[in-house]
Amino acid sequence: MLRNLVMTKTALFALALSLLVFCFLFPGCSSIKPLPVAAVVVIDQINLIDVKNRQVVRQQQVELKNGRISAIRPAGAAIEDANAVVIDGLNGYLTPGLFDMHVHLSDPAALQLSLSHGVTHVRVMHGLPAHLKWRDAINHNEMLGSSMTVSSPILSATKRPTTTSVTDATEAKAAVRAAYAEGYDLIKAYGDLSAQSLSAVVTEAAVLRMPVAKHGPHPSGALPWQDLAAMQSLEHVEDIYQGPLHYQQDLAALQEVIEQLKLLQVPVTPTLNIFWQLTAISRDKEAFLATLPQDYISPLIAFEERHNQVERWLQSTDEMATHNAQTLQFLLQITSQLHQAGVPLFVGSDAGALLSPHGLATHTEMQLLQQAGLDSFAVLHAATIAPAKALGLAELAGQIRPGYKADFIYSKENPIIELSVLREPDAVMKSGRWYNAKQLTELRQQAIDGRSLGQELWLILSNY
């Protein structure tokens, strides 16, 4: 991830010069344009996944106008507009487009890869100025990809490249005001902030009506639990184990934490995927890395990860691999107990970290939530309705209803029976534009081929 970049600035500039020359001689396409949207589209003979009411609504017809759902009628209903583009649903299934509420990215290809796997919206949890430009370009249909909610640069007590250093309340308030002025959608508060700093972040963000997400589902220092009540979300169940439980599988202490989170009703993003991935690396080493899709992570970030975090887990002993596997089972247990207690959960994969592939990682997270005991409807709720509500999009996204954006996944098979059918969609509709399976495959390859390493390195250097 960008926050872990450890190359020297001199080396980065030397690499930048080489890459900029290369990109000048061999230019790539830095962005992909969306397909034109038809004025009226009708999808007939289709079954709808109604996540809110936990049911499959069978034999329907969905009408779209200018990228929004305009009507839902029984299948076979008369189509009034003679110029409508009609898609035969072949008795397949429409599922609301997925949200991934915790990703890291350094190039637009990540957004196109995510979309190709049915992830229609991502929350970027380490924002940079370039992300704001990509967000706006997608919103204005100037670029194709998952739409974005972008956090501020991480507010941390430890000074790192691309983060904002915050060591006291004054710096905390200034950082929040700066992020607001620059157009970020929320504040990302790191777990190492002091109680004083975090309290100032929360207070100033409330004045500006700016959401805050915190690394770690627990307070900083002596901060009261109730001071977290206004958070948009709390990230990483791993941090419950590492924080309040002090690396002990202490069920009594865990119950106390869960009781506090139950009272707060602030959503938790487990990010089980990333611990699952480090467990697999520590156990299977290069054999696991060979199973990851090539080029889903940008070459620069892949190089950095490969020589830092990934290398760390490749060096794991058998004892460490066993410990990681046991810890993963405990994290699944924590997630299960959170769900049973009624604590809202989000799907968030931490894609982009530790070579975790964009789009595919979202589905791995969903599978892990199933392993934690959530049924298909509960997992989809954590990937659709719950995120849409938290992001202020509850009347626009997360469901298939009249007036909502036409963002959904088409599958020939029923995802409630087998959620994994959404991993490789038969089609994806984004803002009323239909991409069939062949076009999704082409989109992935175009995204990979169109990367500009010079542009990506400039993004890193300009925020170093």
Side-chain angles (χ1 to χ4, degrees):
M1 285 181 289
L2 295 180
R3 67 172 181 266
N4 293 323
L5 201 62
V6 297
M7 297 175 68
T8 68
K9 198 165 187 179
T10 301
L12 283 168
F13 272 111
L15 183 57
L17 180 60
S18 301
L19 287 172
L20 286 170
V21 170
F22 179 86
C23 293
F24 176 77
L25 295 173
F26 304 98
C29 230
S30 60
S31 64
I32 300 173
K33 303 294 184 183
L35 294 175
V37 61
V40 180
V41 178
V42 174
I43 306 173
D44 206 2
Q45 304 297 330
I46 195 72
N47 306 303
L48 307 181
I49 304 301
D50 181 354
V51 178
K52 181 178 180 180
N53 295 304
R54 296 177 58 85
Q55 64 180 348
V56 179
V57 183
R58 298 191 177 275
Q59 286 296 293
Q60 298 293 294
Q61 179 188 95
V62 179
E63 179 188 80
L64 318 170
K65 291 184 178 179
N66 300 315
R68 296 286 186 94
I69 301 170
S70 53
I72 298 177
R73 299 181 285 257
I79 300 172
E80 298 177 358
D81 192 321
N83 296 316
V85 174
V86 180
I87 298 172
D88 187 347
L90 299 172
N91 203 36
Y93 299 80
L94 288 185
T95 302
L98 307 176
F99 288 66
D100 191 321
M101 292 290 278
H102 197 121
V103 305
H104 299 271
L105 55 91
S106 60
D107 66 354
L111 300 166
Q112 292 136 15
L113 291 166
S114 295
L115 180 62
S116 76
H117 291 286
V119 182
T120 55
H121 193 100
V122 297
R123 186 176 62 161
V124 179
M125 294 300 280
H126 189 144
L128 297 172
H131 296 146
L132 302 179
K133 295 178 181 178
W134 301 344
R135 177 197 65 190
D136 295 344
I138 290 171
N139 288 343
H140 295 131
N141 295 317
E142 296 166 358
M143 188 173 87
L144 177 60
S146 306
S147 49
M148 308 164 68
T149 297
V150 183
S151 86
S152 66
I154 293 173
L155 274 54
S156 172
T158 305
K159 187 171 180 57
R160 303 181 179 92
T162 75
T163 65
T164 300
S165 177
V166 170
T167 60
D168 58 33
T170 301
E171 290 182 352
K173 291 180 179 180
V176 171
R177 289 194 296 269
Y180 178 82
E182 290 163 15
Y184 291 99
D185 299 307
L186 72 147
I187 297 297
K188 169 71 179 292
Y190 211 56
D192 63 357
L193 292 180
S194 68
Q196 180 189 40
S197 294
L198 182 59
S199 179
V201 166
V202 171
T203 301
E204 191 67 20
V207 171
L208 299 173
R209 297 187 178 181
M210 194 174 189
V212 179
K214 180 187 174 294
H215 180 111
H218 55 83
S220 294
L223 194 73
W225 276 92
Q226 59 265 31
D227 284 13
L228 303 180
M231 294 283 177
Q232 186 177 85
S233 66
L234 300 166
E235 309 301 297
H236 312 300
V237 292
E238 175 187 353
D239 215 64
I240 294 175
Y241 169 67
Q242 296 173 348
L245 303 191
H246 306 291
Y247 292 87
Q248 301 297 314
Q249 295 189 18
D250 184 336
L251 297 182
L254 173 61
Q255 192 56 43
E256 293 177 8
V257 172
I258 288 175
E259 286 300 321
Q260 294 289 352
L261 292 170
K262 181 180 178 180
L263 290 173
L264 285 178
Q265 283 297 296
V266 172
V268 171
T269 314
T271 64
L272 295 164
N273 163 74
I274 207 64
F275 205 92
W276 169 84
Q277 183 135 327
L278 73 84
T279 300
I281 295 172
S282 66
R283 181 187 63 233
D284 300 329
K285 310 292 195 293
E286 294 287 355
F288 172 75
L289 295 179
T291 69
L292 297 177
Q294 295 297 307
D295 301 320
Y296 266 53
I297 301 299
S298 71
L300 273 179
I301 298 303
F303 177 86
E304 188 277 329
E305 288 283 301
R306 192 68 171 77
H307 289 81
N308 286 283
Q309 291 299 316
V310 172
E311 183 63 24
R312 171 191 175 190
W313 298 113
L314 285 173
Q315 299 302 318
S316 295
T317 62
D318 290 343
E319 290 77 12
M320 178 55 72
T322 298
H323 171 77
N324 287 342
Q326 292 171 344
T327 301
L328 175 60
Q329 291 305 309
F330 187 57
L331 301 185
L332 288 166
Q333 183 178 351
I334 294 174
T335 304
S336 175
Q337 292 193 27
L338 288 170
H339 176 60
Q340 293 173 23
V343 176
L345 299 176
F346 288 156
V347 166
S349 66
D350 224 345
L354 210 64
L355 305 182
S356 191
H358 295 285
L360 293 172
T362 311
H363 294 278
T364 300
E365 182 74 14
M366 292 167 67
Q367 291 172 353
L368 289 164
L369 288 175
Q370 283 197 303
Q371 290 182 32
L374 281 70
D375 65 18
S376 294
F377 279 116
V379 173
L380 287 174
H381 190 278
T384 58
I385 292 175
K389 178 182 177 182
L391 299 179
L393 301 173
E395 302 301 319
L396 185 65
Q399 300 184 64
I400 300 175
R401 297 178 58 182
Y404 280 57
K405 289 176 62 177
D407 287 2
F408 36 72
I409 307 169
Y410 170 75
S411 60
K412 295 175 183 176
E413 304 299 327
N414 186 348
I416 301 305
I417 295 174
E418 182 52 70
L419 264 182
S420 65
V421 302
L422 301 178
R423 187 180 182 92
E424 301 284 349
D426 294 300
V428 170
M429 180 161 271
K430 175 61 179 169
S431 300
R433 297 165 174 85
W434 180 268
Y435 299 89
N436 61 32
K438 181 175 182 292
Q439 291 169 317
L440 293 175
T441 300
E442 292 171 348
L443 174 60
R444 289 170 201 153
Q445 196 57 52
Q446 290 170 13
I448 291 167
D449 292 344
R451 278 196 173 107
S452 169
L453 295 184
Q455 180 188 60
E456 181 187 349
L457 192 54
W458 180 253
L459 179 151
I460 295 171
L461 287 172
S462 63
N463 294 278
Y464 198 85

